[in-house]
Amino acid sequence: MAATANSARVFLAVDPPQEWEESLTILGAYGSLAAAQYAVRQHRTRPPYVLETWRTTQVQEWVGDELRTTWTYSPHAGWKTEG
C-alpha cells in the first residue's frame, strides 16, 4: 500500500545486520530526524559499540510502509545519506 498524506512518519534508529548470523535490531522510534540521530550517537557510546568501531548504525525514515531515506552513521566517516 502506498503512503498517503495521512500516513504515519517515523524515524527508526536501527543496528543493521553486519555479519551473517545477525538480524536487524530496532534501537528506538522517534518523531524527528534530529532526535533519532542524537539517540544513535548516544547509543554508540555504550558497549559493545565503543569497542567495535567498524560497526555502522542507521536512521531510517518510514512513511506508512515505505522506506524513504536511510542515514548511516560510522564513527570514522560521520553521517552518509542513502535513498
Side-chain angles (χ1 to χ4, degrees):
M1 176 186 272
T4 67
N6 296 320
S7 294
R9 181 177 179 188
V10 65
F11 294 89
L12 295 178
V14 300
D15 180 11
Q18 296 173 55
E19 294 181 357
W20 67 272
E21 72 278 359
E22 292 183 351
S23 60
L24 181 127
T25 303
I26 297 175
L27 306 173
Y30 302 90
S32 72
L33 175 60
Q37 287 180 330
Y38 178 80
V40 163
R41 288 191 302 272
Q42 292 301 309
H43 180 74
R44 296 295 304 217
T45 64
R46 298 185 187 105
Y49 300 97
V50 168
L51 305 174
E52 297 177 349
T53 57
W54 55 270
R55 293 188 70 89
T56 61
T57 315
Q58 293 179 341
V59 172
Q60 299 176 349
E61 177 188 16
W62 287 85
V63 178
D65 61 353
E66 292 180 9
L67 175 60
R68 294 278 175 95
T69 310
T70 301
W71 294 267
T72 302
Y73 179 75
S74 168
H76 303 294
W79 290 101
K80 177 182 152 189
T81 305
E82 305 165 12

